[in-house]
């Protein structure tokens, strides 16, 4: 009797491990999804056309935005245009732009109910987050670059590539002006990414709620309100909103590097903390919940509170490592800044009037400034500063005097309005052999370094 050998089970088929989709493809897919949206295309068109058209048009007008930094120079130098646009963008345009891009990059999946399909396709929440965050940041930086390029091209073609007067009165050549304009725009990349990171945080945590979309704009508005308060200089520098103003230090001689580095480091810290909080919240969420509307408590405790802690720590560090005290605006600083600006611009005025050449060293300009009445402290911002500038006329014993009324902002920028004598700073125009020219001493801008003693 023969026995049959037991049948051996067929070998099991080897199942290949399921791997996540390649990051390159996921990133490309998210980037295409963003650029394909009609509002992003409208934003791109507006960023390419509107700034250049505005700069070219305003540069031809007789009425210039003199209340904006470099606004009074728009008719004389095409390099002033991109700086005027930069000042406006840092306050309002860029926070709104980051809201429309980064503030919606995750929330759109909640509105469409496509999280389950995306997670199955990519098989890695971490890669989904990285791809969406990187795509949003690339689009934001691209739109910002379009604004800067458009404003620069509009200024150079519409007004002309001519020397630019800096914020201490010294004249920048064309090459130097172009280099500093480029550096100024590069200085706002990190602050812009800080708002974009806040947008990622809002988009992750608030789900279908529109509050996530508005979060960067609301944070920017809150920071603008804080900037209007009489805050100490170190607290002001510890906010990312101040980084949108620090670039102005590039247009003084020597360059005011302290506020620039402070703004960049604070902005970088905000980027890291906000993006890290968004990542932690994203990888822990339940993607099967199609009714996710976010949690205000979670975004406050895990996102906004850590950002506030970052600014508090930054203010403490600045108070320790810098000699800044109080508002950072003192009588001595204003006097030095005004004297320097007056000396540079007096030389420019002398050249325009074809008078014998003078130098700042020979003039030995000095200022005497006072704020308000006798009982007021000669420090802090305000529009009640009054200064008298004295200078020596080379080759004579004559000592000239010019009066200025100063409006000093809390961020260190001041505008000095000439109050006579008429032949120096009391008239809007100069009567030259080549026709009427703007008087550079009638109204001048200056900048005080808040982080120095």
């Amino acid at each position: 009797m023969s026995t049959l050998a037991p049948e051996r089970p067929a070998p099991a088929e080897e199942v290949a491990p399921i791997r996540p989709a390649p990051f390159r493809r996921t990133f490309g897919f998210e980037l295409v999804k963003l650029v394909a949206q009609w509002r992003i295309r409208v934003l791109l068109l507006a960023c390419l056309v509107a700034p250049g058209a505005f700069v070219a048009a305003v540069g031809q007008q007789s009425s210039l935005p003199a209340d904006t930094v470099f606004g009074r120079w728009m008719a004389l130098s095409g390099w002033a245009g991109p700086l005027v646009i930069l000042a406006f963008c840092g306050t309002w345009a860029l926070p709104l732009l980051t809201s429309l891009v980064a503030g919606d990059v995750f929330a759109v999946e909640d509105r469409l109910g496509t999280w389950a399909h995306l997670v199955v396709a990519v098989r890695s929440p971490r890669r989904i987050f990285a791809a969406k965050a990187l795509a949003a940041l690339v689009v934001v930086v691209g739109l910002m670059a379009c604004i800067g390029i458009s404003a620069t091209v509009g200024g150079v073609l519409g007004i002309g590539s001519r020397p630019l007067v800096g914020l201490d009165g010294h004249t920048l050549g064309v090459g130097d002006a172009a280099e500093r304009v480029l550096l100024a725009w590069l200085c706002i990349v990190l602050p812009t990414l800080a708002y974009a990171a806040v947008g990622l945080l809002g988009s992750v945590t608030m789900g279908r709620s529109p509050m996530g979309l508005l979060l960067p704009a609301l944070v920017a508005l809150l920071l603008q309100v804080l900037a209007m308060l009489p805050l100490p200089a170190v607290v002001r520098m510890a906010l990312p909103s101040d980084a949108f103003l620090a670039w102005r230090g590039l247009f003084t001689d020597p360059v005011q590097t302290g506020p620039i580095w402070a703004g960049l480091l604070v902005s970088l810290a905000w980027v890291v903390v906000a993006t890290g909080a968004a990542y932690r919240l994203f990888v822990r969420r339940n993607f099967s919940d199609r009714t996710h509307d976010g949690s205000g408590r979670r975004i406050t405790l895990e996102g906004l509170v850590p950002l506030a802690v970052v600014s508090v720590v930054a203010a403490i560090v600045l108070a320790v490592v810098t000699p800044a005290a109080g508002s950072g605006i003192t009588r001595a600083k204003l006097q030095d800044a005004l004297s320097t600006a007056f000396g540079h611009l007096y030389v420019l005025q002398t050249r325009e009037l074809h008078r014998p050449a003078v130098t700042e060293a020979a003039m030995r300009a000095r200022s005497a400034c006072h704020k308000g009445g006798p009982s007021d402290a000669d420090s802090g911002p305000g529009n009640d500063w009054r200064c008298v500038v004295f200078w020596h006329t080379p080759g004579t014993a004559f000592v000239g005097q010019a009066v200025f009324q100063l409006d000093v902002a809390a961020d260190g920028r001041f505008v000095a309005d000439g109050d006579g004598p008429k032949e120096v700073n009391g008239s809007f125009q100069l009567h030259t052999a080549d026709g009427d020219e703007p008087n550079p001493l009638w109204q001048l801008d200056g900048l005080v370094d808040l982080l120095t003693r």
Side-chain angles (χ1 to χ4, degrees):
M1 181 177 179
S2 61
T3 58
L4 297 176
E7 296 182 0
R8 295 181 180 178
E13 295 182 1
E14 293 184 2
V15 179
I18 300 177
R19 297 180 179 178
F23 177 77
R24 177 177 58 83
R25 293 184 180 179
T26 308
F27 166 69
F29 177 65
E30 293 298 336
L31 188 59
V32 170
K33 282 169 59 178
L34 267 178
V35 178
Q37 296 179 22
W38 67 268
R39 69 167 178 271
I40 301 299
R41 295 184 178 185
V42 171
L43 277 177
L44 178 61
L45 180 63
C47 292
L48 282 173
V49 176
F54 173 81
V55 170
V58 172
Q60 307 302 321
Q61 305 298 317
S62 58
S63 178
L64 299 174
D67 56 336
T68 304
V69 63
F70 289 104
R72 71 184 79 259
W73 299 106
M74 285 188 67
L76 301 178
S77 174
W79 298 107
L83 298 177
V84 172
I85 296 296
L86 178 57
F88 169 76
C89 285
T91 304
W92 302 113
L94 290 178
L96 291 174
L97 186 148
T98 57
S99 290
L100 294 174
V101 179
D104 193 51
V105 68
F106 291 94
V108 66
E109 309 289 351
D110 285 293
R111 293 199 305 272
L112 298 177
T114 52
W115 276 124
H117 304 285
L118 188 61
V119 171
V120 170
V122 180
R123 301 187 185 93
S124 173
R126 293 179 177 85
R127 293 195 182 187
I128 294 174
F129 178 87
K132 281 184 169 293
L134 185 59
L137 298 186
V138 167
V139 171
V140 167
V141 173
L143 292 175
M144 186 181 68
C146 290
I147 296 174
I149 293 172
S150 174
T152 302
V153 172
V156 172
L157 295 182
I159 303 171
S161 180
R162 302 174 190 143
L164 176 67
V165 176
L167 289 180
D168 61 350
H170 79 288
T171 302
L172 300 167
V174 171
D176 198 9
E179 178 183 350
R180 300 199 188 197
V181 167
L182 175 60
L183 290 175
W185 278 89
L186 291 177
C187 283
I188 69 164
V189 172
L190 271 178
T192 303
L193 294 184
Y195 284 139
V198 173
L200 296 178
L201 179 62
S203 187
V204 166
T205 55
M206 301 307 293
R208 297 177 301 173
S209 172
M211 288 303 298
L213 182 66
L214 298 175
L215 187 61
L218 292 176
V219 170
L221 178 61
L222 174 61
L223 295 180
Q224 290 297 327
V225 172
L226 291 177
M228 298 171 62
L229 302 177
L231 300 174
V234 293
V235 176
R236 186 176 301 277
M237 296 291 177
L239 302 175
S241 57
D242 199 79
F244 286 103
L245 306 174
W247 59 267
R248 299 176 303 181
L250 294 168
F251 296 89
T252 61
D253 188 19
V255 174
Q256 298 180 11
T257 58
I260 295 175
W261 284 112
L264 292 178
L265 293 175
V266 170
S267 299
L268 178 61
W270 270 56
V271 170
V272 172
V273 172
T275 306
Y279 172 79
R280 290 193 306 271
L281 293 170
F282 181 77
V283 297
R284 297 204 308 252
R285 70 167 290 176
N286 178 14
F287 294 100
S288 62
D289 182 7
R290 296 191 176 186
T291 61
H292 178 68
D293 287 327
S295 170
R297 181 173 178 272
R298 175 172 294 180
I299 192 175
T300 301
L301 295 180
E302 300 189 39
L304 299 182
V305 170
L307 292 177
V309 172
V310 168
S311 290
V312 171
V313 172
I316 295 173
V317 172
L318 288 173
V320 173
V321 302
T322 66
S327 67
I329 300 172
T330 63
R331 174 186 176 188
K333 289 183 183 181
L334 274 179
Q335 292 178 163
D336 290 342
L338 180 60
S339 299
T340 300
F342 181 87
H344 289 311
L345 293 175
Y346 188 88
V347 171
L348 177 61
Q349 183 192 71
T350 300
R351 187 162 58 246
E352 291 179 350
L353 292 173
H354 304 289
R355 292 174 178 171
V358 296
T359 63
E360 293 90 338
M363 289 174 56
R364 292 177 290 167
R366 59 184 180 86
S367 303
C369 296
H370 297 282
K371 184 177 186 294
S375 59
D376 294 330
D378 289 334
S379 62
N383 59 359
D384 53 350
W385 282 91
R386 185 177 186 275
C387 300
V388 180
V389 181
F390 306 90
W391 74 96
H392 294 267
T393 302
T396 69
F398 175 75
V399 178
Q401 297 184 22
V403 180
F404 287 93
Q405 304 291 335
L406 269 63
D407 184 359
V408 185
D411 55 27
R413 182 206 172 196
F414 65 86
V415 178
D417 286 312
D419 202 18
K422 181 179 179 180
E423 60 274 11
V424 178
N425 67 342
S427 61
F428 172 70
Q429 289 184 323
L430 298 174
H431 300 291
T432 69
D434 301 325
D436 290 343
E437 297 287 344
N439 183 358
L441 287 175
W442 178 71
Q443 196 174 57
L444 58 93
D445 295 312
L447 187 65
V448 172
D449 191 344
L450 302 182
L451 292 183
T452 58
R453 186 178 300 279

